[in-house]
Amino acid sequence: MGIDPGPEGLTDSSASSTVYPPGTVIIDNGGAGFSNYAAVEWYDNFCGLNGKHDWTIGTMNAATSENNASWTTQINDIGYYEIMAFVPPCGRPATRAAIYRVNNNGTEREVWVDQALQSSRWASLGIYNMTPGQSKVTLSDVTGDDGQGVRFD
């Protein structure tokens, strides 16, 4: 972590002041556990965790979807885990209806997040009783509103 350098010397310190509890697992875009797909292209902005986040333009029509990403980790111990997504504070105006899909224990749960409201924050996707195995969060450009930025970080 650290202070994220922004464009033209601007600084995004929104994520750097966070103190993470022991055992916290952070999967950032571009790192291990992160994968993405783009039929056309991704856009990026220089703010967010580790100084960058990816984004795309949202659509309400699943047939025109072009981008998606997933964050995957291995759960080793049974217990309750809170899953969170960081929403960077810069870029195109953010969607008010990002649809995250949390998959654990073979069950998928849809969680809607107002990324405009959660800007510069960790948005909780819920607390889950998990057993050992793979856990995955996915996000695509299919949202509840058209033409807004969907931020992936």
Side-chain angles (χ1 to χ4, degrees), residues 29-43:
N29 56 320
F34 176 80
S35 64
N36 62 6
Y37 167 80
V40 180
E41 68 178 317
W42 286 98
Y43 305 100

Side-chain angles (χ1 to χ4, degrees), residues 122-144:
W122 285 96
S124 179
L125 303 182
I127 297 173
Y128 300 86
N129 185 7
M130 297 182 163
T131 57
Q134 185 175 321
S135 181
K136 180 162 83 171
V137 175
T138 59
L139 177 64
S140 78
D141 54 3
V142 178
T143 64

Side-chain angles (χ1 to χ4, degrees), residues 56 89 94 103 119:
T56 190
N103 188 312
S119 180

